Amino acid sequence: MPYRLIFAIALSLALHAGLLFPDVFKRLSAPPPRNALVARLRLPAEPAPPPEPLVKNTLDANEEPKPVPAPPPPSAAPKKDARPKTANKRETQVAQRKLAQHLYYPPEALAKGIEGEVRLIVRLDANGAVEDVTIAASSGHAILDNAAIRAAYAMGHLGGGSSRELILPVVFRLQ
């Protein structure tokens, strides 16, 4: 009796599957359709016409060139330059030595392993005191830039009798 029950269940499942999924048996038995290979011959593309030349002669052959006006003669009075004088090499070396005395490597930069080079423009007044410090070239790290600026202001006073500008490189390297 159990064989008849198993056979009846299998037959019932097969009939229901045939009614619910009629396309499954067709797809399994039929080979997949082939895509037709199509080949076409095309004529070669016509070459593009040559481009028009970029430089054209806009002057007529009969036209004479206009004379260029002469520059005005230099005035007798010398003009006062608004920019302060730049310092010579010796003054720059003295300033770098004094800057090195006030320079420190920021602890945050040490911990992170940050290195870089900052170039500062230091403006000195007539007495040689540091008037203004700006960054000419940044190191790319604000920590190092700020440490260099603080050290430049800490220099306080450099000897000299005229106002001038110094460009000082400040190098931060880990060893």
Side-chain angles (χ1 to χ4, degrees):
M1 179 101 168
Y3 296 112
R4 284 189 210 173
L5 183 59
I6 294 173
F7 179 70
I9 291 174
L11 183 61
S12 174
L13 287 175
L15 286 175
H16 282 91
L19 291 174
L20 293 175
F21 308 108
D23 295 338
V24 172
F25 295 112
K26 289 180 186 176
R27 279 189 247 150
L28 291 177
S29 62
R34 290 186 176 194
N35 293 336
L37 181 61
V38 178
R40 294 185 184 137
L41 295 177
R42 296 183 188 177
L43 294 175
E46 292 182 24
E52 194 172 314
L54 296 177
V55 180
K56 294 182 180 180
N57 184 6
T58 57
L59 298 176
D60 292 335
N62 299 334
E63 187 178 318
E64 294 180 18
K66 296 179 183 178
V68 178
S75 62
K79 293 182 181 179
K80 189 172 185 180
D81 191 9
R83 293 180 53 203
K85 293 187 273 182
T86 56
N88 63 23
K89 189 174 181 177
R90 185 177 167 273
E91 291 174 328
T92 304
Q93 290 173 344
V94 170
Q96 283 180 321
R97 275 189 246 123
K98 191 160 186 180
L99 179 70
Q101 294 171 357
H102 299 282
L103 189 64
Y104 70 97
Y105 212 112
E108 295 174 34
L110 277 172
K112 294 178 182 178
I114 297 174
E115 295 182 337
E117 181 176 342
V118 184
R119 293 198 183 266
L120 299 176
I121 297 176
V122 180
R123 287 186 186 86
L124 304 173
D125 64 7
N127 298 328
V130 175
E131 187 175 77
D132 187 32
V133 178
T134 56
I135 296 176
S138 173
S139 66
H141 303 285
I143 298 170
L144 300 180
D145 294 348
N146 291 335
I149 290 172
R150 275 185 252 132
Y153 277 117
M155 287 191 309
H157 186 276
L158 294 172
S162 64
S163 62
R164 60 191 183 274
E165 285 184 346
L166 299 171
I167 298 177
L168 299 176
V170 183
V171 179
F172 293 94
R173 292 279 180 252
L174 296 172
Q175 295 178 358

